[in-house]
């Protein structure tokens, strides 16, 4: 495979809460009958609910000054320039709440440090800022490694975890090294410090979870996710549509923006013919390309035609993208971008400006008016911050810039946008986020594309990104949202022997299953496999990886019903070259 080969790729506040599943405390906190203190593994007794040993505040507009804070009870305060900075660390048995006040100085970050010796054999796993990029893995302790949102530590067959609860007002990440644990709370606005004024920011709520003897690392990760989502209402249905069974078609990985009305209806006919009789209806999601009026003269009529086939219509949108000629006072500054102009995106709206926010959500409103019942929105993180998740590292935003409203944190900007999209779409439509911050979308979005694009052109991209995100973000499924590890592309360019395994793996996981069926690659054998996969998906088998501690692309999987091994590697081996970050045409 050529190193330079190119691939075709892709791209108000919540007003009412529907009947929903409220995650009970007992589902994530081990009770005394489950494990006694004598069974605890001391090396993994995490200290993060107790007062930290050190706290630092990083203040300043762009250039940051580090200030050591002093403790008095549960409050940490600064001196000299940081005299106005106060951090309250309210510890309790099952969680600790962090609040920040800073009326006189802009604040960028708060760092907490707990001194604790960790064993040399400890392996660590973190999450990703938004989508993952084939990079999630258990790894030996690496002092500088950024572990977004949560961290799992595994040693001698036992696992413990720590995280911040979903919906935090900060971008939070952990570090773990042989001498201790750090938690960083990024409270910036754009690349600058946030101006909190006289308000107190409830920055984050910390939770932890300790595994019992014999409890798998996967089960502990699931419990930690339940702890992080505890108290947030995660709907089990929207308008009669279940949120835990989403399957059907999406045209991107065979059409790549060159979709047609006839092709969309052909996809709808296909999934309708292969869906289990009398069961939950499949979806047909129309991807980018429908904006060409010569190919799609009426989106409302197309939505009706899909529905007439007993299929639920869905539509991809890119709401932050602004048209050329949009007044500059509605736009985000170009200074948020890194790299060359060719690596930058088109102009985008600043959602902290009311007029711009109206323009953003009007894109979703129009899709709803056309009659689409699943809204998939894309590119919002990249266009907000000028970075893909894999480029963020310890700084989800870079550069000397800020939003129009400087009094809110980046995380609050994101959450307010998500809430407004939910309010616009209403409570009876499904929302699937792509290139979104999953940790901030819990309870607002029903599904999340949890990894970078797979491919209908090259299997290697699907192997690296698809299998990785399916395995490592499976613990999120139906606790945060319905996990979408991306489509199963069935095309002439990808060997059917590999696509068939990917189809089976996704179906056996019980996560979102959307196929991209190139008509040139769909024969009797493919139809039968798709029919079986759809039936399997509806059964919600909840498969999970067995060997995920040893590899980025697990080959051994199991569910309650069965175990399955896959062979993801092509006969000639796999490409050693970077696969890059994928984005659709602008």
């Amino acid at each position: 495979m050529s190193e330079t080969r190119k691939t075709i790729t892709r791209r108000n506040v919540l007003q009412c809460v529907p009947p929903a599943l409220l995650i009970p405390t007992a589902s994530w906190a081990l009770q005394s009958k489950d494990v006694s203190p004598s069974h605890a593994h001391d090396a993994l007794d995490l200290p993060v609910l107790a007062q930290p040993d050190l706290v630092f505040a990083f203040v300043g507009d762009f250039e940051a000054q580090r200030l050591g804070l002093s403790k008095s009870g549960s409050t940490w305060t600064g001196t000299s320039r940081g005299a106005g900075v106060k951090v309250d660390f309210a510890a309790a048995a099952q969680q600790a709440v962090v609040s920040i006040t800073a009326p006189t100085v802009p604040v960028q970050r708060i760092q907490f440090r707990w001194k604790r010796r960790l064993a040399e054999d400890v392996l660590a796993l973190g999450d990703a800022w938004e989508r993952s990029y084939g990079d999630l893995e258990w790894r030996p302790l690496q002092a500088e490694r950024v572990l977004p949102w949560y961290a799992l530590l595994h040693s001698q067959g036992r696992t413990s975890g720590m995280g911040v609860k979903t919906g935090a007002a900060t971008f939070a990440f952990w570090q773990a090294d042989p001498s201790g644990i750090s938690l960083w709370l990024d409270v910036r606005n754009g690349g600058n410090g946030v101006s909190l004024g006289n308000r107190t920011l409830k920055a984050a709520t910390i939770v932890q979870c300790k595994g019992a003897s014999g409890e798998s690392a996967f089960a502990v990760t699931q419990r930690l996710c339940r702890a992080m989502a505890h108290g947030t209402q995660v709907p089990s249905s929207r308008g009669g549509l279940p949120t835990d069974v989403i399957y059907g078609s999406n045209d991107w990985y065979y059409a790549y923006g060159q979709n047609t009305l006839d092709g969309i209806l052909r996809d709808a006919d296909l999934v309708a013919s292969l869906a289990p009789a009398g069961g939950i209806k499949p979806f047909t999601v129309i991807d980018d390309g429908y904006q060409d009026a010569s190919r799609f003269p009426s989106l409302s009529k197309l939505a009706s035609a899909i529905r007439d086939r007993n299929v639920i219509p869905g539509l991809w949108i890119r709401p932050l993208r602004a048209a050329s000629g949009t007044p500059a006072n509605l736009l985000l500054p170009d200074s948020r971008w890194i790299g060359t102009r060719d690596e930058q995106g088109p102009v985008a709206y600043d959602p902290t400006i009311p007029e711009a926010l109206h323009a953003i959500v009007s894109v979703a409103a129009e899709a709803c008016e056309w009659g689409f019942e699943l809204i998939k929105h894309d590119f919002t993180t990249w266009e907000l911050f000028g970075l893909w998740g894999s480029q963020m590292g310890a700084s989800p935003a870079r550069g000397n810039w800020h939003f129009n409203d400087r009094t809110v944190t980046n995380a609050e900007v994101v959450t307010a946008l998500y809430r407004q999209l939910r309010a616009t779409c209403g409570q009876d439509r499904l929302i699937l986020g792509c290139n979104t911050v999953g940790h901030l979308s819990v309870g607002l979005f029903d599904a999340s594309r949890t990894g970078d694009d797979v491919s209908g052109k090259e299997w290697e991209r699907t192997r690296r990104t698809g299998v990785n995100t399916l395995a490592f973000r499976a613990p999120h499924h139906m606790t945060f949202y319905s996990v979408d590890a991306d489509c199963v592309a069935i095309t002439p360019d990808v060997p059917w022997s590999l696509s068939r395994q990917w189809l089976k793996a996704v179906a056996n996981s019980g996560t979102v299953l959307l196929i991209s069926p190139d008509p040139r690659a769909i024969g009797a054998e493919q139809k039968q496999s798709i029919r079986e996969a759809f039936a399997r998906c509806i059964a919600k088998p909840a498969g999970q990886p067995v060997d995920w501690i040893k590899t980025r692309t697990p080959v051994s999987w199991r569910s309650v019903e069965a175990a399955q091994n896959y062979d993801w590697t092509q006969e000639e081996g796999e490409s050693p070259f970077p696969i890059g970050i994928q984005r659709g045409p602008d």
Side-chain angles (χ1 to χ4, degrees):
M1 182 183 300
S2 169
E3 182 176 5
T4 59
R5 178 175 177 181
K6 295 182 179 179
T7 59
I8 306 174
T9 63
R10 119 115 96 219
R11 35 46 2 254
N12 52 16
V13 172
L14 185 60
Q15 296 173 332
C16 58
V17 179
L21 174 65
L22 186 63
I23 301 169
T25 303
S27 68
W28 59 267
L30 279 177
Q31 305 301 303
S32 58
K33 65 180 181 181
D34 297 316
V35 59
S36 65
S38 63
H39 293 153
H41 192 255
D42 291 342
L44 294 182
D45 263 344
L46 303 179
V48 297
L49 297 187
Q51 288 293 327
D53 296 295
L54 299 169
V55 179
F56 299 97
F58 293 76
V59 302
D61 190 25
F62 179 56
E63 298 294 335
Q65 177 184 1
R66 189 181 83 162
L67 305 172
L69 305 186
S70 300
K71 183 170 76 73
S72 175
S74 64
T75 301
W76 296 75
T77 55
T79 57
S80 65
R81 188 183 174 202
V85 179
K86 182 172 71 173
V87 177
D88 187 68
F89 191 97
Q94 293 186 337
Q95 64 181 34
V97 178
V98 178
S99 301
I100 302 169
T101 57
T104 60
V105 294
V107 182
Q108 297 190 22
R109 298 174 176 89
I110 304 294
Q111 180 195 0
F112 303 91
R113 177 69 173 177
W114 293 267
K115 298 177 182 179
R116 173 63 58 90
R117 297 300 302 176
L118 296 177
E120 293 182 357
D121 68 340
V122 167
L123 299 177
L125 171 69
D127 196 26
W129 288 122
E130 43 105 2
R131 297 176 300 179
S132 56
Y133 291 79
D135 50 3
L136 296 177
E137 65 177 330
W138 290 92
R139 200 189 303 169
L141 293 181
Q142 182 179 349
E144 71 277 13
R145 184 184 178 191
V146 172
L147 303 166
W149 305 119
Y150 61 72
L152 279 300
L153 302 180
H154 180 79
S155 174
Q156 300 180 34
R158 287 197 175 94
T159 308
S160 289
M162 52 201 169
V164 298
K165 294 189 73 169
T166 59
T170 67
F171 278 79
F173 72 88
W174 301 85
Q175 287 176 283
D177 60 68
S179 298
I181 293 167
S182 293
L183 170 63
W184 292 76
L185 301 182
D186 187 330
V187 297
R188 290 177 301 157
N189 176 282
N192 296 153
V194 67
S195 299
L196 292 176
N198 292 324
R199 77 180 177 114
T200 297
L201 178 72
K202 182 181 175 181
T205 300
I206 304 168
V207 294
Q208 69 178 50
C209 178
K210 182 168 62 180
S213 176
E215 186 178 15
S216 73
F218 192 89
V220 176
T221 308
Q222 287 179 309
R223 283 205 294 112
L224 179 63
C225 289
R226 288 194 289 272
M228 288 186 287
H230 175 64
T232 299
Q233 293 181 312
V234 179
S236 58
S237 66
R238 297 276 189 189
L241 299 176
T243 60
D244 59 348
V245 178
I246 301 173
Y247 74 105
S249 67
N250 177 301
D251 58 86
W252 180 256
Y253 291 108
Y254 74 84
Y256 286 105
Q258 300 304 308
N259 46 8
T260 65
L261 187 149
D262 289 342
I264 297 298
L265 294 179
R266 180 191 63 236
D267 290 351
D269 285 332
L270 177 66
V271 297
S273 69
L274 301 177
I280 297 169
K281 294 180 182 179
F283 289 83
T284 283
V285 181
I286 304 171
D287 217 292
D288 199 11
Y290 64 85
Q291 302 90 339
D292 185 342
S294 66
R295 303 203 309 263
F296 296 92
S298 173
L299 273 299
S300 59
K301 289 182 179 178
L302 179 53
S304 295
I306 293 171
R307 197 175 291 105
D308 289 344
R309 287 160 167 78
N310 211 31
V311 176
I312 305 167
L315 190 70
W316 175 94
I317 62 172
R318 185 173 175 177
L320 262 71
R321 179 169 51 184
S324 101
T326 299
N329 64 344
L330 299 180
L331 302 177
L332 290 163
D334 288 342
S335 52
R336 74 193 189 285
W337 294 107
I338 64 170
T340 66
R341 181 60 217 172
D342 289 343
E343 297 173 298
Q344 299 175 8
V347 292
Y349 288 111
D350 181 338
T352 70
I353 302 170
E355 185 180 349
L357 181 60
H358 176 77
I360 292 166
V361 299
S362 68
V363 179
E366 185 177 45
C368 294
E369 289 169 2
W370 285 331
F372 291 96
E373 298 177 57
L374 182 150
I375 307 301
K376 176 180 180 179
H377 74 89
D378 201 353
F379 284 97
T380 49
T381 304
W382 184 60
E383 287 175 334
L384 280 175
F385 300 114
L387 294 164
W388 302 104
S390 60
Q391 298 171 323
M392 290 177 173
S395 296
R398 298 184 198 169
N400 186 6
W401 68 279
H402 55 80
F403 289 96
N404 181 70
D405 183 352
R406 302 193 62 174
T407 68
V408 289
T409 69
N410 289 330
E412 290 178 306
V413 172
V414 171
T415 303
L417 171 62
Y418 293 173
R419 285 176 174 163
Q420 193 60 53
L421 285 168
R422 168 50 70 191
T424 299
C425 292
Q427 299 298 332
D428 58 350
R429 286 180 174 84
L430 298 180
I431 299 180
L432 194 166
C434 182
N435 185 230
T436 50
V437 183
H439 215 73
L440 302 180
S441 75
V442 177
L444 299 174
F445 299 161
D446 308 296
S448 178
R449 250 287 304 282
T450 54
D452 192 17
D453 287 18
V454 297
S455 177
K457 297 291 183 180
E458 296 174 318
W459 167 251
E460 174 65 357
R461 171 163 287 278
T462 301
R463 185 188 74 85
R464 289 197 205 180
T465 64
V467 176
N468 182 262
T469 194
L470 182 66
F472 285 86
R473 301 188 100 174
H476 300 186
H477 186 56
M478 291 317 301
T479 294
F480 291 172
Y481 36 62
S482 192
V483 165
D484 177 12
D486 208 4
C487 301
V488 176
I490 304 174
T491 73
D493 295 317
V494 180
W496 168 238
S497 61
L498 295 168
S499 294
R500 178 176 54 202
Q501 292 186 83
W502 177 230
L503 175 67
K504 188 172 184 179
V506 176
N508 283 338
S509 72
T511 61
V512 175
L513 173 57
L514 297 174
I515 61 170
S516 285
D518 189 320
R520 298 172 299 167
I522 303 298
E525 181 181 354
Q526 286 76 19
K527 288 181 179 179
Q528 181 58 30
S529 292
I530 296 168
R531 181 180 290 108
E532 293 171 358
F534 283 174
R536 184 72 170 148
C537 180
I538 287 177
K540 298 184 281 191
Q544 58 184 254
V546 176
D547 56 341
W548 71 321
I549 290 181
K550 300 178 181 179
T551 175
R552 284 187 178 186
T553 51
V555 299
S556 179
W557 295 67
R558 69 163 178 259
S559 63
V560 173
E561 298 88 351
Q564 179 71 49
N565 289 322
Y566 300 98
D567 184 358
W568 303 123
T569 306
Q570 299 182 90
E571 182 181 9
E572 68 272 23
E574 298 300 342
S575 169
F577 302 113
I579 57 175
I581 299 167
Q582 297 305 288
R583 52 179 275 194
D586 293 324

